[in-house]
PDB file of all heavy atoms in Angstrom:
ATOM      1  N   VAL A1118      35.240 -37.472  70.288  1.00 91.00           N
ATOM      2  CA  VAL A1118      33.825 -37.682  69.951  1.00 91.00           C
ATOM      3  C   VAL A1118      33.717 -38.782  68.881  1.00 91.00           C
ATOM      4  O   VAL A1118      32.781 -39.596  68.909  1.00 91.00           O
ATOM      5  CB  VAL A1118      33.190 -36.356  69.461  1.00 91.00           C
ATOM      6  CG1 VAL A1118      31.773 -36.574  68.938  1.00 91.00           C
ATOM      7  CG2 VAL A1118      33.188 -35.320  70.584  1.00 91.00           C
ATOM      8  N   GLU A1119      34.715 -38.841  67.974  1.00 91.00           N
ATOM      9  CA  GLU A1119      34.703 -39.866  66.913  1.00 91.00           C
ATOM     10  C   GLU A1119      34.771 -41.280  67.497  1.00 91.00           C
ATOM     11  O   GLU A1119      34.067 -42.186  67.056  1.00 91.00           O
ATOM     12  CB  GLU A1119      35.885 -39.633  65.954  1.00 91.00           C
ATOM     13  CG  GLU A1119      35.817 -40.496  64.711  1.00 91.00           C
ATOM     14  CD  GLU A1119      36.895 -40.172  63.696  1.00 91.00           C
ATOM     15  OE1 GLU A1119      37.761 -39.327  63.992  1.00 91.00           O
ATOM     16  OE2 GLU A1119      36.857 -40.773  62.615  1.00 91.00           O
ATOM     17  N   HIS A1120      35.614 -41.457  68.540  1.00 91.00           N
ATOM     18  CA  HIS A1120      35.718 -42.763  69.204  1.00 91.00           C
ATOM     19  C   HIS A1120      34.386 -43.146  69.843  1.00 91.00           C
ATOM     20  O   HIS A1120      33.988 -44.317  69.797  1.00 91.00           O
ATOM     21  CB  HIS A1120      36.816 -42.735  70.277  1.00 91.00           C
ATOM     22  CG  HIS A1120      38.190 -42.572  69.720  1.00 91.00           C
ATOM     23  ND1 HIS A1120      39.041 -41.579  70.141  1.00 91.00           N
ATOM     24  CD2 HIS A1120      38.855 -43.262  68.767  1.00 91.00           C
ATOM     25  CE1 HIS A1120      40.176 -41.671  69.476  1.00 91.00           C
ATOM     26  NE2 HIS A1120      40.080 -42.685  68.629  1.00 91.00           N
ATOM     27  N   VAL A1121      33.704 -42.146  70.438  1.00 91.00           N
ATOM     28  CA  VAL A1121      32.404 -42.399  71.069  1.00 91.00           C
ATOM     29  C   VAL A1121      31.392 -42.835  70.003  1.00 91.00           C
ATOM     30  O   VAL A1121      30.613 -43.775  70.217  1.00 91.00           O
ATOM     31  CB  VAL A1121      31.896 -41.144  71.829  1.00 91.00           C
ATOM     32  CG1 VAL A1121      30.517 -41.384  72.425  1.00 91.00           C
ATOM     33  CG2 VAL A1121      32.878 -40.744  72.925  1.00 91.00           C
ATOM     34  N   CYS A1122      31.403 -42.177  68.838  1.00 91.00           N
ATOM     35  CA  CYS A1122      30.501 -42.527  67.727  1.00 91.00           C
ATOM     36  C   CYS A1122      30.722 -43.973  67.280  1.00 91.00           C
ATOM     37  O   CYS A1122      29.768 -44.722  67.087  1.00 91.00           O
ATOM     38  CB  CYS A1122      30.709 -41.592  66.534  1.00 91.00           C
ATOM     39  SG  CYS A1122      30.131 -39.922  66.825  1.00 91.00           S
ATOM     40  N   HIS A1123      32.000 -44.359  67.152  1.00 91.00           N
ATOM     41  CA  HIS A1123      32.316 -45.729  66.724  1.00 91.00           C
ATOM     42  C   HIS A1123      31.865 -46.744  67.769  1.00 91.00           C
ATOM     43  O   HIS A1123      31.457 -47.862  67.409  1.00 91.00           O
ATOM     44  CB  HIS A1123      33.815 -45.886  66.456  1.00 91.00           C
ATOM     45  CG  HIS A1123      34.256 -45.275  65.155  1.00 91.00           C
ATOM     46  ND1 HIS A1123      33.727 -45.656  63.945  1.00 91.00           N
ATOM     47  CD2 HIS A1123      35.171 -44.303  64.882  1.00 91.00           C
ATOM     48  CE1 HIS A1123      34.285 -44.953  62.970  1.00 91.00           C
ATOM     49  NE2 HIS A1123      35.171 -44.119  63.518  1.00 91.00           N
ATOM     50  N   ARG A1124      31.962 -46.382  69.058  1.00 89.00           N
ATOM     51  CA  ARG A1124      31.534 -47.292  70.127  1.00 89.00           C
ATOM     52  C   ARG A1124      30.012 -47.504  70.087  1.00 89.00           C
ATOM     53  O   ARG A1124      29.538 -48.612  70.323  1.00 89.00           O
ATOM     54  CB  ARG A1124      31.979 -46.736  71.487  1.00 89.00           C
ATOM     55  CG  ARG A1124      31.540 -47.543  72.694  1.00 89.00           C
ATOM     56  CD  ARG A1124      32.083 -48.963  72.699  1.00 89.00           C
ATOM     57  NE  ARG A1124      33.512 -48.992  72.955  1.00 89.00           N
ATOM     58  CZ  ARG A1124      34.047 -49.031  74.182  1.00 89.00           C
ATOM     59  NH1 ARG A1124      33.263 -49.052  75.242  1.00 89.00           N
ATOM     60  NH2 ARG A1124      35.344 -49.052  74.335  1.00 89.00           N
ATOM     61  N   ILE A1125      29.247 -46.416  69.784  1.00 88.00           N
ATOM     62  CA  ILE A1125      27.784 -46.542  69.743  1.00 88.00           C
ATOM     63  C   ILE A1125      27.362 -47.364  68.519  1.00 88.00           C
ATOM     64  O   ILE A1125      26.621 -48.327  68.632  1.00 88.00           O
ATOM     65  CB  ILE A1125      27.113 -45.141  69.729  1.00 88.00           C
ATOM     66  CG1 ILE A1125      27.425 -44.406  71.045  1.00 88.00           C
ATOM     67  CG2 ILE A1125      25.596 -45.263  69.540  1.00 88.00           C
ATOM     68  CD1 ILE A1125      27.096 -42.923  71.022  1.00 88.00           C
ATOM     69  N   HIS A1126      27.834 -46.948  67.317  1.00 88.00           N
ATOM     70  CA  HIS A1126      27.555 -47.701  66.086  1.00 88.00           C
ATOM     71  C   HIS A1126      28.560 -47.306  65.019  1.00 88.00           C
ATOM     72  O   HIS A1126      28.916 -46.135  64.902  1.00 88.00           O
ATOM     73  CB  HIS A1126      26.128 -47.423  65.587  1.00 88.00           C
ATOM     74  CG  HIS A1126      25.653 -48.448  64.590  1.00 88.00           C
ATOM     75  ND1 HIS A1126      25.887 -48.327  63.242  1.00 88.00           N
ATOM     76  CD2 HIS A1126      24.986 -49.616  64.770  1.00 88.00           C
ATOM     77  CE1 HIS A1126      25.365 -49.381  62.617  1.00 88.00           C
ATOM     78  NE2 HIS A1126      24.812 -50.180  63.520  1.00 88.00           N
ATOM     79  N   ARG A1127      29.007 -48.288  64.232  1.00 85.00           N
ATOM     80  CA  ARG A1127      30.093 -48.025  63.278  1.00 85.00           C
ATOM     81  C   ARG A1127      29.725 -47.043  62.160  1.00 85.00           C
ATOM     82  O   ARG A1127      30.596 -46.435  61.557  1.00 85.00           O
ATOM     83  CB  ARG A1127      30.611 -49.333  62.678  1.00 85.00           C
ATOM     84  CG  ARG A1127      29.623 -50.111  61.861  1.00 85.00           C
ATOM     85  CD  ARG A1127      30.245 -51.394  61.304  1.00 85.00           C
ATOM     86  NE  ARG A1127      29.330 -52.120  60.457  1.00 85.00           N
ATOM     87  CZ  ARG A1127      28.422 -52.986  60.891  1.00 85.00           C
ATOM     88  NH1 ARG A1127      28.318 -53.228  62.200  1.00 85.00           N
ATOM     89  NH2 ARG A1127      27.630 -53.616  60.054  1.00 85.00           N
ATOM     90  N   THR A1128      28.401 -46.893  61.868  1.00 88.00           N
ATOM     91  CA  THR A1128      28.000 -45.979  60.779  1.00 88.00           C
ATOM     92  C   THR A1128      27.705 -44.566  61.284  1.00 88.00           C
ATOM     93  O   THR A1128      27.463 -43.663  60.485  1.00 88.00           O
ATOM     94  CB  THR A1128      26.740 -46.514  60.060  1.00 88.00           C
ATOM     95  OG1 THR A1128      25.674 -46.594  61.019  1.00 88.00           O
ATOM     96  CG2 THR A1128      26.989 -47.882  59.448  1.00 88.00           C
ATOM     97  N   LEU A1129      27.726 -44.385  62.619  1.00 88.00           N
ATOM     98  CA  LEU A1129      27.310 -43.092  63.193  1.00 88.00           C
ATOM     99  C   LEU A1129      28.265 -41.954  62.818  1.00 88.00           C
ATOM    100  O   LEU A1129      27.838 -40.830  62.565  1.00 88.00           O
ATOM    101  CB  LEU A1129      27.193 -43.214  64.716  1.00 88.00           C
ATOM    102  CG  LEU A1129      26.512 -42.066  65.469  1.00 88.00           C
ATOM    103  CD1 LEU A1129      25.108 -41.808  64.937  1.00 88.00           C
ATOM    104  CD2 LEU A1129      26.454 -42.350  66.953  1.00 88.00           C
ATOM    105  N   ALA A1130      29.575 -42.229  62.734  1.00 87.00           N
ATOM    106  CA  ALA A1130      30.563 -41.184  62.430  1.00 87.00           C
ATOM    107  C   ALA A1130      30.348 -40.616  61.023  1.00 87.00           C
ATOM    108  O   ALA A1130      30.549 -39.420  60.794  1.00 87.00           O
ATOM    109  CB  ALA A1130      31.976 -41.740  62.567  1.00 87.00           C
ATOM    110  N   SER A1131      29.930 -41.470  60.070  1.00 89.00           N
ATOM    111  CA  SER A1131      29.714 -40.992  58.695  1.00 89.00           C
ATOM    112  C   SER A1131      28.443 -40.138  58.581  1.00 89.00           C
ATOM    113  O   SER A1131      28.322 -39.313  57.681  1.00 89.00           O
ATOM    114  CB  SER A1131      29.641 -42.178  57.729  1.00 89.00           C
ATOM    115  OG  SER A1131      28.592 -43.051  58.112  1.00 89.00           O
ATOM    116  N   GLN A1132      27.480 -40.334  59.506  1.00 89.00           N
ATOM    117  CA  GLN A1132      26.228 -39.550  59.485  1.00 89.00           C
ATOM    118  C   GLN A1132      26.281 -38.357  60.449  1.00 89.00           C
ATOM    119  O   GLN A1132      25.294 -37.635  60.615  1.00 89.00           O
ATOM    120  CB  GLN A1132      25.049 -40.452  59.881  1.00 89.00           C
ATOM    121  CG  GLN A1132      24.846 -41.625  58.944  1.00 89.00           C
ATOM    122  CD  GLN A1132      23.871 -42.647  59.516  1.00 89.00           C
ATOM    123  OE1 GLN A1132      23.455 -42.543  60.672  1.00 89.00           O
ATOM    124  NE2 GLN A1132      23.504 -43.633  58.714  1.00 89.00           N
ATOM    125  N   PHE A1133      27.420 -38.161  61.104  1.00 89.00           N
ATOM    126  CA  PHE A1133      27.560 -37.159  62.166  1.00 89.00           C
ATOM    127  C   PHE A1133      27.470 -35.730  61.614  1.00 89.00           C
ATOM    128  O   PHE A1133      28.064 -35.403  60.583  1.00 89.00           O
ATOM    129  CB  PHE A1133      28.929 -37.373  62.840  1.00 89.00           C
ATOM    130  CG  PHE A1133      29.258 -36.401  63.935  1.00 89.00           C
ATOM    131  CD1 PHE A1133      28.886 -36.639  65.240  1.00 89.00           C
ATOM    132  CD2 PHE A1133      29.980 -35.242  63.660  1.00 89.00           C
ATOM    133  CE1 PHE A1133      29.212 -35.752  66.249  1.00 89.00           C
ATOM    134  CE2 PHE A1133      30.304 -34.349  64.658  1.00 89.00           C
ATOM    135  CZ  PHE A1133      29.918 -34.611  65.957  1.00 89.00           C
TER     136      PHE A1133
END
Side-chain angles (χ1 to χ4, degrees):
V1118 173
E1119 189 174 5
H1120 293 126
V1121 177
C1122 290
H1123 284 302
R1124 177 61 71 88
I1125 296 167
H1126 197 272
R1127 63 180 183 275
T1128 61
L1129 192 56
S1131 58
Q1132 299 168 352
F1133 178 88

